[in-house]
Amino acid sequence: MRRRRFLGGLAALSLPAFAQTARTPRRVGLIAFRETTFKRARSGGLAFLAAMKDLGYHEGRDFILDERLWERQEDAPAMVRELVALKTDVIIAAGPPAILAARDGTRQIPIVMMYSAEPVAAGLVKSLSRPGGNLTGLTYDHGFESSSKSMELLKEAMPKLQRVAVMWDGTDSVHPIYARYFAKAASQIGLALHSVELKQPADIEPAFNRLKKERIEALVVLPSGQTTIPNRRTILALAARDRLPTLFNIADFDRDYPEALLRYGPNYSNMPRRAAAYVDRILKGAKPADIPIEQPDKYDLIVDLAVARKLGIAIPQSILLRAARVIE
């Protein structure tokens, strides 16, 4: 009888240890534009999952990734509601439309922002150092400083440049802010700027017709998940048709931007790993309100010399030496 009680006691002691390893997986929601690289099947998503594994989280055992990818930004709020209904522990929102939908969809679930553009100016957080509320994460760039740098690079590549246009998406909540930044930057370096607002793909060709009449000498295109990125081939084909040198304000190596003279923007390569670090801290109990928002630490410049030759532009050596990649 005493031996049976002893063996029973051993079995009882072993149960809590087993129960601790059989914990319920945490739920990590992801809402993003369908063409983003930050999704399971592409480089950003794979890097995020690898980073989570390095932090000790095994997908399926320790966490479940619930992915929602929108094609039209008006679909994002319903996707957030789905993630909220799943009792998600943390939501990763990639890009301004997803971030706004997540912010409006929940004030309780922690949100890790990816590629947030000017979150303070947009009223998303109180400050970068102490966000307040339930949002934290990573910014897309450095706001006006980044916009000014884009204009300076274009002017350096084309020293005689006088008239430039910036093409932006009127349906994107932060693009009006950036349009003002570019106007200010152009004024500071003595360029006349023409602002081109797009609200739908049908606006693209008429916009180029107006640029031709205005005798615009170069074009800057701001990245937008709903307008300029999905229609990049159309935009750059029209720019090539009109022999209009173009700087696309993004430097994502995973994307193909034919006929762009320059591409300039933040390097995304480390952002998925940083997002995983945010998720890790939140799952361990940290509050988004107290976690500082990070800005990019590296920018890339890509120069297409084939385009430069077609346009008869001699790219200065100073530009080539700073390029992360030169396309011959």
Side-chain angles (χ1 to χ4, degrees):
M1 180 68 68
R2 182 176 297 175
R3 179 176 174 80
R4 281 199 296 272
R5 283 199 299 268
F6 175 71
L7 291 174
L10 284 178
L13 287 171
S14 68
L15 282 174
F18 172 80
Q20 287 176 5
T21 63
R23 61 190 178 193
T24 302
R26 311 295 293 276
R27 301 199 83 101
V28 178
L30 168 63
I31 179 164
F33 175 52
R34 64 175 176 80
E35 286 199 37
T36 183
T37 60
F38 197 86
K39 62 181 180 181
R40 182 189 303 277
R42 297 190 66 181
S43 59
L46 294 172
F48 171 77
L49 293 172
M52 289 292 287
K53 189 172 182 180
D54 290 343
L55 290 166
Y57 298 89
H58 293 264
E59 189 178 7
R61 185 193 73 184
D62 302 306
F63 78 100
I64 297 169
L65 182 63
D66 295 307
E67 190 178 59
R68 298 293 186 276
L69 304 174
W70 54 270
E71 183 170 357
R72 302 178 308 157
Q73 62 176 333
E74 53 264 37
D75 296 332
M79 294 180 177
V80 170
R81 289 194 292 271
E82 292 175 8
L83 294 176
V84 172
L86 289 171
K87 301 187 184 302
T88 305
D89 292 287
V90 58
I91 294 174
I92 303 170
I99 293 167
L100 283 175
R103 190 277 309 269
D104 293 342
T106 177
R107 298 301 170 98
Q108 287 77 42
I109 297 173
I111 298 168
V112 174
M113 302 182 292
M114 288 285 292
Y115 322 128
S116 66
E118 287 297 84
V120 177
L124 293 169
V125 297
K126 293 179 180 177
S127 70
L128 297 182
S129 59
R130 293 189 67 83
N134 63 323
L135 288 87
T136 186
L138 303 149
T139 70
Y140 172 75
D141 63 5
H142 286 74
F144 173 72
E145 182 183 339
S146 302
S147 303
S148 180
K149 185 63 177 179
S150 293
M151 294 299 280
E152 290 169 4
L153 285 169
L154 193 56
K155 177 66 173 176
E156 187 175 347
M158 302 173 62
K160 295 182 179 180
L161 180 65
Q162 293 183 332
R163 299 175 65 82
V164 63
V166 60
M167 183 173 284
W168 53 282
D169 181 359
T171 71
D172 190 302
S173 61
V174 297
H175 272 215
I177 297 173
Y178 279 82
R180 292 194 293 272
Y181 286 167
F182 274 90
K184 180 181 177 181
S187 176
Q188 288 181 349
I189 58 176
L191 293 175
L193 184 128
H194 184 83
S195 184
V196 181
E197 179 183 3
L198 305 176
K199 290 192 174 180
Q200 57 185 342
D203 296 338
I204 296 172
E205 188 158 8
F208 274 93
N209 294 334
R210 291 195 300 273
L211 294 181
K212 196 169 185 179
K213 291 179 181 177
E214 294 284 341
R215 293 178 294 177
I216 298 300
E217 299 166 321
L219 173 68
V220 176
V221 181
L222 305 190
S224 155
Q226 49 272 17
T227 303
T228 59
I229 291 177
N231 295 285
R232 62 189 179 274
R233 292 185 176 278
T234 299
I235 291 170
L236 291 168
L238 289 168
R241 180 200 69 183
D242 295 341
R243 298 183 58 79
L244 190 61
T246 302
L247 182 150
F248 218 110
N249 216 189
I250 191 170
D252 188 340
F253 284 2
D254 282 0
R255 300 190 188 280
D256 177 22
Y257 292 89
E259 304 296 333
L261 177 67
L262 303 175
R263 279 183 272 160
Y264 177 72
N267 184 299
Y268 291 160
S269 60
N270 195 44
M271 288 190 181
R273 299 195 69 85
R274 296 305 307 146
Y278 276 90
V279 171
D280 174 48
R281 290 181 65 181
I282 289 169
L283 292 181
K284 288 177 177 174
K287 295 180 179 180
D290 302 325
I291 307 176
I293 293 170
E294 294 183 9
Q295 295 177 296
D297 58 2
K298 182 182 179 184
Y299 284 73
D300 287 327
L301 170 65
I302 303 172
V303 181
D304 194 325
L305 287 182
V307 173
R309 285 191 292 270
K310 287 181 184 178
L311 297 172
I313 297 173
I315 300 295
Q317 192 68 16
S318 59
I319 293 282
L320 297 176
L321 289 173
R322 278 180 282 168
R325 179 181 170 196
V326 176
I327 302 171
E328 297 289 345

